[in-house]
Amino acid sequence: MSSNWKHIYSLYLFLGISCSTVFSQDIEPKQDVNVDDLGNVSDEFQELFFEALKQKAITNYDKAIEALEKCVEIDSSSKYLYLELGKNYLELKSYQKAEDNFNKVLKDKPNDRFILELLFETYFQQHKYEESTMIVEKLVRFNTMFKEQLANLYFLEKRYNDALTTLDELDDEYGVDPYREGLRKRISSKVTNPNSQISRLEKKISENPKEEQNYLNLIYLYSKNNQKEKAFEKAKLLLKKSPKSEFVHLALYKFYLEESNIQEAINSIKIALISNKIDKKSKHKLINDFLLFVDKNSQYESQLLNIVSLLSDNENSGSVFTELGHYYYKKDDKEQALNFYERSIKNNVNDFTLLKRILLLQLDLKRYEKAETGSKLAIELYPAQPIFYLINGVSSIHLEKAEKALDILGVGIDYVIEDQKMESDFYKQMSAAHQKLGDTTKASEYKQKANQLQKKS
């Protein structure tokens, strides 16, 4: 199986989702049958057997089974019959019948990888995790990457130590993998007594003190077990053993912040942010953590901007920039809030609330051309939202486009439903537009309408 597929399938395993189609596509159809494979059989047998293959090919599984059953009546000795019956029953989700037929084949071919894979799928679809595990333990002999599925199955059986040990074996053989690290954390979160895992990692570190991942796993376990001092000591030890380690700073910055060693925390944050090895999600969490710190310690706000400058717009940083926008919006720093919101919207173009806030800030800061352009696009996305027509009208008035403003305000007010405050705002802007055009009578009329509604609201 390809490594990418295995990650996808492992996710299905972990979530307990049915995935027979995905699994079936990955199994190589190496069991093609020709006349010689069938042995010395009658013409009628051959005709029925290949009719079954034809019907299966066009997804007529019931008819394929019917033809195969007739073959069994003629000669029940051919194992190909039970293989094909199993495959057809599997397609029909008749799992027990599929299982029975595959087991008939497996008696003669106990180490056939193809049959084992089919049987594994059949067991798993029935949520028979213990049987699934037994099969995958055999499949590991063919390809050790099956251990990824094995770790997931151990998790489903609540064999957490076995699951983590299996992941360690994979890391030792193939190196660290982001998917497996995520899986490790999910499994570790279920471990109520991590002492055996801690002891095992301590032993691995003593045997191989240069292996970075063992330290990182141990730091995580100590932290999760609320042994922060031990976790901090291991992080500092790793930095001493491996001064160029970048991943260790994902742990160190938290410890430095907690002991108010702010400069060291900032240095760790910067190292992590410019790292090509650390994933975007971890970088975003790091910035969010520092943002929470700055919210309580405003004297380090200048450092926040310095740190954020290391995070590029092309790193899918929309959520981080949104949080930064919220931070400055609460502080009434409209310039900075708008700056981060505008960077955020690149990855959140359909976010109604964010879009509205950006446009209102642009009006407040007299960015009328931007507000006009943005509100026009917003109307295309949300044609029944009156706020965007109102913003477009206000922008047009300030850009000396009074006639255009009246047109757009006239359309937008029809979408106002039971909102006297907004309806009043529309009339105020219509009054302003008529005033610009020199029609004082209309301007006064709409101003009066606005005032009447304002009194009611």
Side-chain angles (χ1 to χ4, degrees):
M1 298 182 187
S2 68
S3 58
N4 287 339
W5 183 90
K6 292 179 77 61
H7 286 175
I8 294 168
Y9 186 62
S10 292
L11 177 62
Y12 276 87
L13 270 171
F14 187 79
L15 297 176
I17 298 171
S18 172
C19 52
S20 59
T21 303
V22 178
F23 194 91
S24 298
Q25 288 174 346
D26 191 69
I27 296 171
E28 297 177 5
K30 62 181 181 179
Q31 298 290 331
D32 292 337
V33 184
N34 56 48
V35 176
D36 293 334
D37 292 327
L38 296 177
N40 187 19
V41 294
S42 66
D43 291 343
E44 182 184 4
F45 184 101
Q46 289 184 29
E47 186 177 333
L48 285 166
F49 186 83
F50 287 109
E51 173 65 17
L53 295 183
K54 184 183 80 173
Q55 293 299 331
K56 178 176 176 288
I58 58 177
T59 70
N60 287 333
Y61 305 117
D62 287 321
K63 289 185 177 180
I65 289 169
E66 185 179 326
L68 289 165
E69 292 291 2
K70 289 179 181 178
C71 286
V72 172
E73 291 175 9
I74 296 170
D75 182 354
S76 61
S77 63
S78 175
K79 296 303 177 184
Y80 285 107
L81 294 176
Y82 305 112
L83 171 61
E84 290 302 318
L85 279 167
K87 288 156 69 175
N88 281 282
Y89 280 124
L90 184 56
E91 293 290 351
L92 292 173
K93 303 187 189 310
S94 296
Y95 298 122
Q96 188 57 55
K97 289 182 178 180
E99 178 186 332
D100 292 341
N101 280 284
F102 290 142
N103 275 319
K104 287 178 183 178
V105 184
L106 206 60
K107 284 181 181 179
D108 287 346
K109 298 182 176 182
N111 297 313
D112 188 300
R113 173 177 173 174
F114 179 73
I115 306 300
L116 288 170
E117 287 181 346
L118 286 168
L119 190 56
F120 165 48
E121 181 186 0
T122 308
Y123 282 139
F124 184 77
Q125 297 297 347
Q126 298 174 86
H127 305 288
K128 293 183 175 181
Y129 300 132
E130 185 177 350
E131 292 87 344
S132 298
T133 300
M134 291 171 63
I135 295 296
V136 176
E137 285 173 341
K138 293 180 180 180
L139 286 168
V140 166
R141 297 199 300 266
F142 298 102
N143 185 341
T144 52
M145 276 304 293
F146 274 104
K147 287 183 179 180
E148 210 162 84
Q149 277 92 324
L150 192 56
N152 277 290
L153 286 164
Y154 285 147
F155 173 83
L156 291 171
E157 290 191 82
K158 299 183 180 180
R159 295 168 59 180
Y160 303 128
N161 285 334
D162 288 338
L164 292 170
T165 300
T166 302
L167 289 177
D168 285 344
E169 291 170 0
L170 277 168
D171 287 347
D172 289 343
E173 185 169 354
Y174 295 103
V176 179
D177 176 274
Y179 168 80
R180 289 198 296 277
E181 283 311 294
L183 177 58
R184 179 189 298 279
K185 289 181 179 179
R186 291 195 294 273
I187 295 170
S188 296
S189 69
K190 300 292 184 180
V191 176
T192 55
N193 183 6
N195 290 335
S196 62
Q197 288 298 315
I198 289 173
S199 298
R200 187 177 51 78
L201 286 168
E202 290 279 17
K203 182 180 178 183
K204 291 184 76 172
I205 287 172
S206 65
E207 291 171 351
N208 186 2
K210 293 185 178 180
E211 180 54 53
E212 179 180 13
Q213 192 59 41
N214 291 327
Y215 289 91
L216 297 173
N217 292 341
L218 187 56
I219 291 165
Y220 174 78
L221 281 175
Y222 274 137
S223 298
K224 179 183 171 295
N225 203 36
N226 207 29
Q227 299 181 56
K228 292 183 179 179
E229 288 185 9
K230 288 187 176 181
F232 193 12
E233 287 303 315
K234 286 299 174 185
K236 288 188 286 189
L237 179 61
L238 172 57
L239 190 62
K240 183 179 178 181
K241 297 284 185 182
S242 182
K244 293 183 180 180
S245 173
E246 296 172 1
F247 285 101
V248 70
H249 292 283
L250 288 175
L252 281 172
Y253 84 90
K254 293 181 183 178
F255 300 132
Y256 287 139
L257 283 178
E258 286 175 4
E259 66 172 20
S260 299
N261 191 344
I262 309 305
Q263 192 53 55
E264 287 296 337
I266 290 169
N267 289 341
S268 286
I269 289 171
K270 288 180 177 179
I271 290 169
L273 283 180
I274 63 175
S275 170
N276 293 323
K277 298 177 182 178
I278 294 174
D279 62 278
K280 296 164 189 171
K281 185 178 178 181
S282 297
K283 292 181 181 182
H284 294 175
K285 184 180 184 307
L286 183 151
I287 288 181
N288 279 324
D289 285 347
F290 192 67
L291 183 58
L292 292 172
F293 172 79
V294 171
D295 199 24
K296 297 176 182 177
N297 302 272
S298 57
Q299 66 269 32
Y300 296 105
E301 191 173 298
S302 60
Q303 292 286 355
L304 176 63
L305 291 175
N306 189 15
I307 284 170
V308 171
S309 68
L310 299 174
L311 194 67
S312 63
D313 287 3
N314 61 5
E315 286 194 283
N316 297 323
S317 307
S319 60
V320 174
F321 292 139
T322 300
E323 291 303 316
L324 287 162
H326 292 339
Y327 170 78
Y328 285 105
Y329 187 81
K330 284 191 295 183
K331 293 174 67 66
D332 201 34
D333 187 339
K334 294 179 181 179
E335 286 282 359
Q336 284 291 7
L338 181 58
N339 170 37
F340 286 111
Y341 282 144
E342 287 179 341
R343 293 171 74 179
S344 172
I345 199 69
K346 295 174 183 178
N347 297 301
N348 301 284
V349 290
N350 294 315
D351 188 324
F352 172 81
T353 304
L354 181 60
L355 188 55
K356 182 173 75 169
R357 182 166 286 185
I358 287 172
L359 292 169
L360 290 172
L361 281 171
Q362 287 173 341
L363 284 185
D364 280 351
L365 296 171
K366 297 181 171 53
R367 313 278 172 79
Y368 299 123
E369 289 185 359
K370 277 191 170 186
E372 182 192 35
T373 301
S375 57
K376 184 179 178 182
L377 293 172
I379 289 168
E380 292 178 8
L381 287 171
Y382 301 99
Q385 291 293 334
I387 184 64
F388 296 133
Y389 294 88
L390 183 60
I391 293 170
N392 191 271
V394 173
S395 304
S396 296
I397 290 168
H398 284 282
L399 293 171
E400 305 299 330
K401 300 176 183 179
E403 288 186 4
K404 177 180 176 297
L406 285 173
D407 289 340
I408 200 72
L409 291 167
V411 173
I413 199 170
D414 289 339
Y415 292 106
V416 179
I417 300 171
E418 297 181 358
D419 188 340
Q420 293 179 333
K421 172 68 170 63
M422 181 169 284
E423 191 175 356
S424 172
D425 289 340
F426 267 88
Y427 286 138
K428 282 180 185 177
Q429 297 307 320
M430 288 177 172
S431 173
H434 281 296
Q435 194 71 44
K436 286 271 187 182
L437 293 170
D439 190 338
T440 55
T441 302
K442 285 282 187 183
S444 178
E445 178 185 332
Y446 281 108
K447 186 175 183 180
Q448 188 175 0
K449 285 184 178 182
N451 290 337
Q452 288 173 349
L453 284 169
Q454 198 166 14
K455 290 176 184 178
K456 293 179 183 178
S457 61

